[in-house]
């Protein structure tokens, strides 16, 4: 039994520990239940869902790169109703065991975000919070990500905020972070997830074609962890609402970097692919690190980075 209290408050969500899972890397939780008891985690964030099912991009959708991986899944999802029918019972049970279930909301326009969030609000009473993925291409803005500008991100938050009284989080694209974070805070965001994957390219030099079905994809993994730590620190300096750090967390010490940079929670992403029980190992390593720091409560270490 750890001698350090690991409980944290993230945007009003009481977490028994800071470890969360990154949306899109952990399915809807039940896919990992045979590997470890998912209820040991503080939270999970479900794969993003829209009001209606999305087919996603053609194959190939994923490829390994040196130090990480790239994906171009295209947010394939069963829609909110399909997710509830398939996974709702498991997620409700998980929530009853004290693990916060954060449902990610996807959309290609402000109206689509609102429609999806309305369904989540109606059909998911067990959800502790909702996370808006504002990195989706916005069809009303010529394909640019909704969250790529302060104005676009603020528009989505302004429209979604009245739909729910539950905590509303935003997963941010890795662009113009401090100013977009301030715009989201001003429109009522309760917390921020920093960062989403970084756009990249991987070319097969033998075929001279992309290793994915699209020319570009989202880069994730340990190679971008130092970038993510810097971005988390910058956002924590810019706003007063809590931040969940995500990006290349492979060990407890990686998670600890985010905590020291100011994050109140940490999401495990790519690590779950090669090691399905990585999140619970990282939790144990984070607990051991907190004990080594001689504190009684992990909250004493949040933002304790010294310049």
């Amino acid at each position: 039994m750890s001698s350090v209290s690991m409980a944290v408050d993230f945007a009003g969500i009481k977490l028994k520990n800071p470890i969360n899972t990154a949306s899109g890397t952990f399915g809807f939780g039940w896919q990992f239940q045979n590997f470890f008891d998912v209820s040991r985690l503080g939270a999970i964030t479900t794969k993003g869902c829209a009001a209606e099912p999305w087919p996603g991009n053609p194959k190939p959708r994923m490829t390994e790169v040196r130090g990480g991986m790239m994906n171009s899944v295209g947010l394939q999802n069963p829609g909110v109703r399909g997710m509830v029918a398939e996974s709702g019972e498991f997620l409700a049970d998980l929530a009853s065991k004290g693990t916060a279930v954060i449902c990610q909301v996807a959309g290609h326009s402000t109206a689509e975000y609102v429609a999806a969030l309305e369904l989540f609000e109606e059909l998911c009473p067990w959800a502790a919070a909702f996370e808006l993925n504002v990195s989706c291409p916005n069809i009303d803005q010529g394909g640019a990500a909704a969250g790529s500008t302060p104005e676009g991100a603020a528009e989505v938050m302004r429209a979604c905020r009245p739909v729910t009284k539950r905590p509303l989080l935003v997963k941010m694209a890795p662009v113009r972070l401090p100013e977009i974070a301030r715009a989201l805070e001003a429109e009522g965001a309760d917390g921020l997830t920093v960062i989403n994957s970084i756009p990249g390219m991987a070319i097969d030099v033998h075929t001279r074609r992309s290793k994915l079905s699209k020319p570009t994809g989202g880069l994730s993994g340990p190679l971008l962890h130092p970038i993510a730590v810097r971005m988390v620190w910058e956002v924590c300096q810019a706003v007063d609402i809590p931040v969940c750090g995500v990006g290349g967390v492979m060990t407890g010490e990686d998670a600890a970097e985010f905590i020291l940079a100011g994050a109140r929670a940490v999401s495990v992403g790519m690590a779950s692919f090669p090691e399905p029980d990585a999140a619970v190992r990282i939790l144990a390593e984070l607990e051991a690190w907190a004990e080594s720091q001689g504190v009684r409560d992990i909250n004493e270490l949040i933002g304790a980075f010294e310049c």
Side-chain angles (χ1 to χ4, degrees), residues 173-229:
V175 295
R176 301 176 66 180
L177 283 158
E179 58 181 315
I180 294 174
R182 286 190 286 265
L184 289 166
E185 182 180 39
E187 294 295 340
D190 295 295
L192 304 171
T193 301
V194 181
I195 56 173
N196 212 328
S197 57
I198 294 177
M201 289 184 71
I203 299 172
D204 185 324
V205 298
H206 302 289
T207 65
R208 291 179 276 174
R209 303 179 69 86
S210 173
K211 292 183 178 180
L212 300 167
S213 63
K214 301 285 185 178
T216 64
L219 179 66
S220 59
L223 78 171
L224 60 75
H225 179 67
I227 298 172
V229 171

Side-chain angles (χ1 to χ4, degrees), residues 62-131:
M62 300 175 69
T63 186
E64 291 185 47
V65 296
R66 191 162 48 247
M69 59 174 280
M70 288 180 59
N71 87 87
S72 180
V73 174
L75 273 169
Q76 176 188 353
N77 72 86
V80 178
R81 293 183 186 87
M83 183 275 286
V84 171
E86 179 183 56
S87 306
E89 184 176 349
F90 173 84
L91 293 171
D93 182 63
L94 187 63
S96 74
K97 295 175 180 176
T99 294
V101 176
I102 301 169
C103 292
Q104 193 186 82
V105 184
H108 283 141
S109 66
T110 299
E112 286 189 14
Y113 282 107
V114 171
L117 184 57
E118 288 175 339
L119 283 174
F120 273 118
E121 177 69 14
E122 175 189 353
L123 300 176
C124 304
W126 32 261
F130 305 112
E131 178 184 81

Side-chain angles (χ1 to χ4, degrees), residues 39-64:
S39 71
R40 292 173 62 186
L41 302 180
I44 72 164
T45 304
T46 65
K47 181 173 175 57
C49 287
E52 301 296 332
W54 289 0
N57 291 334
K59 298 177 182 179
R61 294 175 166 189
M62 300 175 69
T63 186
E64 291 185 47

Side-chain angles (χ1 to χ4, degrees), residues 252-307:
E253 290 194 357
D254 293 335
E257 282 191 86
F258 278 136
I259 297 290
L260 291 171
R264 299 192 67 83
V266 176
S267 287
V268 177
M270 195 208 86
S272 295
F273 288 98
E275 183 187 351
D277 58 352
V280 76
R281 171 184 56 77
I282 290 167
L283 170 59
E285 293 173 355
L286 183 65
E287 289 178 341
W289 166 76
E291 287 183 342
S292 76
Q293 297 300 298
V295 300
R296 290 178 171 271
D297 192 318
I298 195 165
N299 287 276
E300 298 177 48
L301 297 167
I302 295 172
F305 167 66
E306 300 176 3
C307 296

